[in-house]
Amino acid sequence: NDRLVYSDETMKVLYDSLSNVSSSDVTNHQLGLGYSYNNGTNSINIGLNIEHNKQVKDQEYPSSTLEELRHLKRTYFSWRPNIDYRYFLTRKRYLNFQYNGSTQVPSIENLQAVVNNTNPLSISVGNPKLKQGYSHSLRIYYNSSSFKENKTSYTYFSLNASNTSNSVANNTFTINDEESLAKMNALLKEY
């Protein structure tokens, strides 16, 4: 990931804090197990995915005296369960329960405390303090179908809920006044 920004048109003076020269390695290992059962009335699928994610980044620019910014290393471990249970009231009517757990690992770009001013009206910066995001998703629904000579009808009711902790999102500032510029500069000093 290389982006060099110069402070003048002669391209002799490098603007260190806006430049980004780094290399990164990402290693991801996943293991999944599953079980299925169906007896005509009950159908269940249960699964568990285990994931290990390792990210290493070496940064030349922007230069920093802090080792944790020059050499960023993050390891994430997660369990992602999933359940799908279906109960058949009749052959054409059933209740269904689904649960999924999922993770969101921050990318190297999300973790880099580097200003991206490619669009000067929308400046973004990464956050090296980001944690892994985790989401729970629950869905319960009822489905019924009816087939007659010239008529087909479906009835469907659904209840959905989800929750995410430590959501990974970009921090973008729209610089339109001195106050928003000061907020961005204060945030950068934290890193």
Side-chain angles (χ1 to χ4, degrees), residues 125-136:
V125 62
N127 179 355
K129 298 176 185 176
L130 284 177
K131 298 177 182 176
Q132 175 176 257
Y134 198 86
S135 296
H136 301 275

Side-chain angles (χ1 to χ4, degrees), residues 72-83:
L72 182 70
K73 183 178 179 181
R74 295 285 190 275
T75 302
Y76 302 98
F77 186 79
S78 61
W79 299 80
R80 297 188 328 248
N82 58 74
I83 300 169

Side-chain angles (χ1 to χ4, degrees), residues 5-183:
V5 178
Y6 295 91
S7 61
D8 62 2
E9 52 280 336
T10 64
M11 297 182 69
K12 291 183 180 177
V13 180
L14 184 67
Y15 204 143
D16 183 276
S17 64
L18 296 178
S19 296
N20 181 11
V21 175
S22 62
S23 63
S24 61
D25 292 311
V26 177
T27 307
N28 189 328
H29 299 281
Q30 294 185 34
L31 174 66
L33 301 170
Y35 173 77
S36 293
Y37 173 79
N38 188 339
N39 68 2
T41 303
N42 297 286
S43 172
I44 188 164
N45 295 300
I46 299 172
L48 177 64
N49 292 314
I50 302 168
E51 182 175 8
H52 179 264
N53 186 295
K54 181 179 176 184
Q55 301 175 347
V56 177
K57 180 205 63 134
D58 291 309
Q59 175 178 307
E60 183 179 350
Y61 291 107
S63 58
S64 175
T65 56
L66 299 174
E67 175 63 22
E68 62 267 17
L69 291 181
R70 285 196 327 266
H71 184 74
L72 182 70
K73 183 178 179 181
R74 295 285 190 275
T75 302
Y76 302 98
F77 186 79
S78 61
W79 299 80
R80 297 188 328 248
N82 58 74
I83 300 169
D84 187 341
Y85 172 71
R86 189 171 293 190
Y87 176 71
F88 290 90
L89 301 162
T90 68
R91 202 165 60 89
K92 298 177 184 175
R93 293 186 308 132
Y94 63 87
L95 289 169
N96 197 203
F97 167 86
Q98 295 175 337
Y99 167 79
N100 286 300
S102 62
T103 58
Q104 183 182 16
V105 175
S107 69
I108 291 290
E109 290 76 22
N110 294 136
L111 295 168
Q112 279 188 291
V114 175
V115 176
N116 183 346
N117 70 340
T118 308
N119 178 354
L121 298 177
S122 183
I123 298 173
S124 63
V125 62
N127 179 355
K129 298 176 185 176
L130 284 177
K131 298 177 182 176
Q132 175 176 257
Y134 198 86
S135 296
H136 301 275
S137 175
L138 177 65
R139 181 178 179 206
I140 301 170
Y141 64 93
Y142 168 82
N143 191 17
S144 174
S145 57
S146 174
F147 303 99
K148 296 185 179 174
E149 287 182 19
N150 296 325
K151 185 178 178 184
T152 302
S153 65
Y154 294 97
T155 305
Y156 180 85
F157 297 102
S158 175
L159 175 65
N160 299 299
S162 64
N163 180 39
T164 302
S165 59
N166 297 324
S167 181
V168 177
N170 290 332
N171 191 2
T172 303
F173 291 90
T174 301
I175 307 299
N176 55 9
D177 58 16
E178 291 295 321
E179 183 180 342
S180 56
L181 182 61
K183 282 182 185 178

